[in-house]
Amino acid sequence: MRRRFLAANWKMHKTVGEAVAFARDFLPRVKAARAEIAIAPPFTALAALGEALAGSHVALAAQNVHDEAKGAFTGEIAPGMLADLGCAWAIVGHSERRALFGETDAFVARKAAALFAAGLRPIVCVGETLAEREAGRTFAVLETQLAGSLAAVPGERAAELVLAYEPVWAIGTGRTATPAMAQEAHAMIRGWLRGRFAAAADAIRIQYGGSVKPDNAAELLAQPDVDGALVGGAGLEPESFARIVLAKEEP
Ligand code: PGA
């Protein structure tokens, strides 16, 4: 009942020309894909990539958003501005935003609510650091992030929410969580979502993120509560992202 959802997070990579060239190469490769697909380029490439993706089944996503609709917030982008460009999704609470730009769970919660209000959908990221995992605090950390970051999700929209479980120690390190570790965390998150959103929890997609590559995607995606992936480095190349998108449903 949960359609697989693969999203590429390009972070601070690609010019407008590079983004459009990616789309030309990538789209024919995923024509027959059954999975839902989104690409999150830098803000500067959203408009051009949106045009290049028009008419395809690949959606446009932003990597961040501000929670206010307008105002004196130098350097920030409002949800309505993203909607205006045809963005369907925005990533919020990525660990790089939390660690490098001081984003709190409360701010992430406001962003998620603002996205819903503007007709977009959030991909809300959570995940523990290596020190937290080694201290046996993974579940406690995830619970705190979930409670804080999802505090303002309207109950009737809960099924449209997407979570991304991204262990910080696996992001950009080549050190992927094992399928069993991913499943354990995803099952815990699903259990928490059931407590918070009741039956809607079974419709909420939970992506895994952290060094997902073409050769480890199938076994991660085969886990019962892994409903997709949020892909950084391997999402920068059309061939490798297409191979992840097309990874077998059953390895
Ligand atoms: P990675 O990044 O695939 O390069 O580890 C994942 C992410 O940060 O979303």
Side-chain angles (χ1 to χ4, degrees):
M1 70 185 284
R2 293 187 295 269
R3 186 172 171 212
R4 191 183 275 186
F5 182 23
L6 290 307
N9 170 14
W10 284 354
K11 308 190 179 180
M12 200 168 72
H13 294 284
K14 295 196 191 292
T15 62
V16 166
E18 288 164 349
V20 171
F22 179 104
R24 284 207 191 99
D25 186 331
F26 178 69
L27 287 177
R29 296 176 188 269
V30 296
K31 248 198 168 112
R34 281 182 293 156
E36 188 168 348
I37 308 167
I39 300 175
F43 285 124
T44 47
L46 277 169
L49 184 65
E51 277 175 39
L53 298 177
S56 78
H57 73 301
V58 179
L60 194 62
Q63 297 176 18
N64 185 26
V65 67
H66 195 267
D67 66 309
E68 298 282 345
K70 60 170 80 158
F73 301 101
T74 301
E76 294 295 317
I77 310 281
M81 296 169 180
L82 298 177
D84 189 37
L85 289 176
C87 265
W89 298 93
I91 300 166
V92 292
H94 189 280
S95 71
E96 287 151 18
R97 303 266 354 142
R98 292 175 184 268
L100 303 174
F101 302 98
E103 289 194 6
T104 62
D105 287 329
F107 195 15
V108 174
R110 293 201 303 275
K111 291 173 186 229
L115 287 167
F116 277 124
L120 287 85
R121 290 185 279 169
I123 299 174
V124 179
C125 304
V126 294
E128 82 288 357
T129 63
L130 186 59
E132 289 163 343
R133 175 164 282 268
E134 287 177 344
R137 295 187 52 233
T138 298
F139 283 10
V141 167
L142 293 177
E143 265 169 39
T144 302
Q145 290 176 338
L146 290 165
S149 304
L150 303 181
V153 172
E156 72 280 4
R157 307 288 299 277
E160 296 170 58
L161 187 64
V162 169
L163 267 291
Y165 168 62
E166 300 204 299
V168 176
W169 48 269
I171 296 176
T173 59
R175 199 181 151 191
T176 324
T178 64
M181 283 162 89
Q183 171 56 27
E184 184 189 38
H186 283 228
M188 179 257 138
I189 292 169
R190 180 94 52 213
W192 189 93
L193 292 171
R194 284 200 185 103
R196 172 77 166 76
F197 298 113
D202 289 304
I204 297 175
R205 272 94 50 95
I206 308 174
Q207 298 175 324
Y208 168 80
S211 297
V212 175
K213 307 287 177 209
D215 48 2
N216 62 24
E219 55 174 4
L220 286 161
L221 292 166
Q223 300 301 309
D225 287 294
V226 177
D227 308 312
L230 183 54
V231 185
L236 291 170
E237 293 299 326
E239 197 214 333
S240 66
F241 189 44
R243 283 176 60 203
I244 291 169
V245 167
L246 299 170
K248 271 198 296 166
E249 302 263 329
E250 303 293 337

